[in-house]
Every structure is written in structure tokens, then in C-alpha cells.
Amino acid sequence: MSHSVEELARIAVDAGFHIHKELGPGLLESVYEAVLAFELEERGLKIDRQKPVGIHFKGLAIQEGFRADILVEDRLLIELKSVERLQAVHGKQVLTYLRLLDLPLGLLMNFGAATFKEGIKRIVNNHTDFAS
């Protein structure tokens, strides 16, 4: 069964909410990543963790420009943090990843915030033409 990227995002946010409610803030980012990946797989989704993403620049190929924390069904990027509050650079980082992966939507989930609602951000990639 193929889900839309919006449906994948809804499932991921629901899973993240329940994890934050159950475990609370303050654990290592890697713990939240493992638990979220497990939860999404339990819900029948294909998950890639720490997927290396290559970057090409003027003929230079860098095999691992970055690693995607979680890639859901090859269509939704989830970047995880466990910090007291998100910084602007975190959102910019996700947008760069979305552009490099040519994906429309990413979720920035911060499990370090007091409530999950204040720790979740949707990042939309509207840029298909990088020259503009």
C-alpha cells in the first residue's frame, strides 16, 4: 500500500508524539532515532536509518555529504534532535537535505523540548530550480 507523503508525515508525527509522551525528553538523539524507526516499521513502513547521501559539486563527488537520520518509504526525511530548543540552522539543514534529495517534505523532530508540539517542524522544499 502506497501512502502519500502527507500521510507518511501524519503517521510519523503520531509516532513521535507517543514516543515523547512515553519516554519524555532528555535521552540521546540515537535512542529516539532507534525507537522512532522501530515504531514506524511496526506500522508497516520501510525505513532507512543513517542513510549516506552523496553530493556532487562541479564534477566533484563526495560519497557522504551527510547522513539522513530517517528516510521513510524513500519519500519523507526525518531529522531528529534532542536539544532544549531548535535553532534556525536546524531548519535550514533539513531544507538543504530536502533539496539534495529532491524531496518535497521533511520533518524536524526535537525530542528535547518540554512538549512534542513545540519540538516538531514541517519543512517544505518548494525549490525545484536551484539557480533561482
Side-chain angles (χ1 to χ4, degrees), residues 6-126:
E6 288 296 340
E7 179 68 6
L8 294 174
R10 191 196 63 69
I11 294 167
V13 168
D14 183 67
F17 172 78
H18 284 94
I19 290 164
H20 190 279
K21 194 170 138 186
E22 194 116 342
L23 299 178
L27 302 175
L28 291 172
E29 194 178 292
S30 57
V31 172
Y32 295 113
E33 182 187 311
V35 173
L36 181 60
F38 172 81
E39 183 65 28
L40 293 174
E41 284 174 334
E42 286 281 293
R43 295 179 187 211
L45 300 177
K46 176 184 163 282
I47 302 301
D48 283 309
R49 284 180 61 194
Q50 293 299 315
K51 183 179 174 124
V53 177
I55 293 174
H56 300 275
F57 180 78
K58 294 184 178 180
L60 173 68
I62 300 168
Q63 296 311 309
E64 287 194 34
F66 68 95
R67 286 177 176 264
D69 284 349
I70 296 180
L71 198 55
V72 184
E73 299 280 329
D74 296 316
R75 285 182 294 149
L76 176 69
L77 175 82
I78 302 175
E79 181 68 19
L80 298 171
K81 300 292 178 200
S82 182
V83 294
E84 210 169 306
R85 69 172 39 89
L86 289 171
Q87 305 295 322
V89 68
H90 295 137
K92 291 174 185 164
Q93 174 189 27
V94 173
L95 184 56
T96 297
Y97 291 178
L98 291 174
R99 287 177 179 166
L100 291 168
L101 289 165
D102 195 27
L103 294 176
L105 179 65
L107 295 175
L108 177 55
M109 290 186 183
N110 178 23
F111 286 93
T115 66
F116 186 69
K117 187 175 181 188
E118 68 183 281
I120 183 89
K121 270 181 94 92
R122 284 171 51 94
I123 312 287
V124 180
N125 176 16
N126 293 321

